[in-house]
Amino acid sequence: MEKDNSVKTMKSAKTLKTAREAGYFGKKMLTDAIKAQEEGHPIGWSMVSWWQGDFIAKAMGMHLVYPENYGAFCAAVRQAEPYLEIADSEGFPNNLCGYARNCLGFAKCLRDNNYVIPEGAPGGGLARPVLMLASGCACDARYKWFQSLGRYLNDVPVWNLEMPQTGVKEYYLPGNKEKNLRFIVAELREFVKFMENLLKKKLDYDKLHAMLDQALKTLNLAWQVDLLRRAVPSPMVSQDFWSVMIPHFYLPDDPEAYSFYERVYAEVKEKVDNGIGAIPNEKYRMMFSELPPWHSIGFFDELAKRYGIAMVMESWNYHAPTPMAEEELHGINDPLEIIARLTYHKWMEHNTVAREFDTAPGFFNAAYLRWAQEYKADGFFAHPLLSCRPATYTLMHTRNSLEEKLKVPGVVVPGDIIDLRVFNSDEGFSKVEAFVETMDHYRELRKEAGMAW
Amino acid sequence: MSADNKKGLAKAHEIYSNRGKYAREQKNQGKKIFGYFCCYPPIELLTALDIIPVRILGDMEQPITLADNCLPPVMCIFCRSAFDIGMKGQYDYFDGFVGAHACDGAERTSIIWSNYIKTPCNFHLDIPHTTHDAAVEFFKEQLEYFQKELEKSIGREITPDKLRSAIAAHNHQRALVRQIYELRKLDPPLITGTEMLTVLIATMGMSVQEGNLLIEEVLQEIKQRENVQEKKSRLLIWGSLIDNAAFTELIESSGLNIVIEDTAIGTRPYWHDIRDTKDPLLGIAEHYLKEVLCPRTFRDSGKNYEQDSEQRFSYLKDFAKYWKVDGVFANIIRNCDIHGYEVPVIKDYLNGLGIPVLVIEQDYSTASLESLRTRFQAFAETIAS
């Protein structure tokens, strides 16, 4: 699998001690699944579903691994290219999602090796699944990819989770939110039936409830860390977040993830209390969107060093949501409905901002209008991704909205989550160098307009 | 000469070539015009309010300029093109805009559209991804909202009888289109793929009643024909839509006769009728979710790969059999994920039936079409031999 390539990549040093420890969780997911398979437990390959399907599968004794995360992992250790090439040679268009192509290449190797993980697979590889848990939320690739994996995982069923993606105006139509929620719950019930039939066992609702309680605690703590990041100078930057996010995003039900977040919180809080910034010379505060170039996170260390840029907040969809209001959960004891409300809340919570600013959509877009004010952002770093397109469709619109409504300018530096060849760091530095003056100019404009930062 | 003075294929060509002009003429006569994205918004609801539904298309002949500021270049080029010509004011006659969550590209473009191109009425229709009972019920509820918004905008209610009558008119149109497809079973077919495209696009900018009259004229005209074209290898087109006759002309001048298209401007909107249900919205919801066979809708997987492919693509086997298909052109507009993921799967399936497949990813631009000619010629030669 080893392949020498001459493309320049950059690893980040990370500013938090806890961020440097977080890689443990990614490896833990992979190795736990392999161990579980050896012990005869069922394995599921799951898309990120914003916790919609995870707890149900886990409460039924299934061990989940996340091929999207595996793609990021392979890219970070620069071992994705051989899998991408296999996917290309199988006839999949080379502009499909990089994570998907990485996974399709891996799955072919797995099949060709009689479903024994090939030696040298990055991180130990993905154990053979009995289920592929897809999601219609966020992007089409996340069910089309699993569907096409049938070529290599011949008899593994795919279940597709449903999540409505209502427009902002439509969200506020009388009764629509409740109808959306009812649909999600109905589909979750079907999913439970499907799982019970697949695994020949009943779902333990008490266990599910306990996992959900733990998960809500972890997500709440992750959100509190986000609140601390509003401080000036910023105590934690995106380079840290991309590592720290793994436990809350993939394993919020794991008590170990909660303990980890307690340490993250303590470390970040200490920096805030003592006015210590993540970077020593913070001059500009920027928001980043969408997924980063995993192979070159060090690019942002260099931006900090050269221009004093702190990436103070980033990509909306990877963050824990704000805790749900008490009335949202009042009297609701059915864990399936709590899950439905959690995921739906994550996707719809910024509709209030979208409505306030007369912009759409609420997801992928409106959060940045809120954060620009709360995090005192000077600029927006848009990173359109060649092979993760749906996440980037709204980027230019978000850039326009921030500039028009809040006088926060944006810079666009294209790249890719996996493909090293697409990201040109030198071009990125040139663009940002010029953009620094733009941020200075807009600071003056905000000042003239009487804005708070 | 205006479209009014022409009949049949000539009229279809006139309207196809001047969609905006025709729509503006209708608007000047007091008609309401609504634009809609893809083949998922139920146009029966628009017809029930005497609104003319105009399918939003891109323009392969125009370079994308204004869209670049709002949609990233990595996005589906068809969606960017449609948005671009919208930004250039070429859809400024819309009284309403109906966006749809057909695929990611259509969904995000629809939503972003509403930020930049304002119309008196705007609705974004969320469409579930599965065909489960709960999904049909949810979709029906969304249609109820859509109906209410339309009624509010027009100031009139849609009665169940009105809706039934609109469904009947559109079902009639579906039947008429299928009649044309029947005439393409002949060898050589009585209508070219290019003519078919112009007829379908023309009707996608007319009231259903006018459209039905036009198709009836076309049917009458082509039934009189004898050997309108020479016998050539017979091609099925599967995949992303084609909305420009320059593309079909190129294919048909490369040694191939297009006999059937499994695309969004082909069989997909027309192949099945809407059932007459007690609640007409239920029939509409079931039809659009279950019977419009775009791969954007996830159908529960079969027991294994073979069974899954059979469940999803067996209709192509029927098309191939009854239209005597010699080869399939899998057309992928670059960055169309919905069809892109299916490429090896559809090749496996069709090759398993002994049908050769030509896969081309193209850039939705007439400027880059000519370079594809040699590929079609080579494919024609291969399947002819």
Side-chain angles (χ1 to χ4, degrees), chain B residues 19-35 50-52 54 89-97 118-121 154 205-207:
Chain B
R19 293 182 85 219
K21 181 170 165 259
Y22 181 80
R24 285 187 182 90
E25 283 169 7
Q26 300 296 306
K27 192 178 168 83
N28 289 340
Q29 290 168 25
K31 299 280 187 190
K32 294 280 184 195
I33 315 272
F34 274 47
D50 300 318
I51 297 167
I52 298 182
V54 171
Q90 290 174 38
Y91 286 126
D92 61 2
Y93 51 84
F94 286 171
D95 297 295
F97 170 82
K118 300 293 181 187
T119 44
C121 179
I154 299 295
M206 308 171 83
S207 72

Side-chain angles (χ1 to χ4, degrees), chain B residues 290-338:
Chain B
K290 293 182 172 177
E291 294 179 333
V292 177
L293 294 179
C294 174
R296 60 80 57 197
T297 302
F298 177 84
R299 287 154 224 284
D300 283 341
S301 55
K303 280 199 172 128
N304 54 42
Y305 179 57
E306 219 170 75
Q307 198 187 86
D308 190 48
S309 300
E310 187 64 29
Q311 266 176 218
R312 296 199 291 126
F313 300 122
S314 62
Y315 69 97
L316 288 174
K317 186 159 61 180
D318 294 337
F319 285 173
K321 181 178 169 187
Y322 295 111
W323 274 262
K324 298 184 185 69
V325 168
D326 297 309
V328 171
F329 163 40
N331 173 43
I332 313 291
I333 293 177
R334 199 173 304 285
N335 300 335
C336 172
D337 285 344
I338 285 295

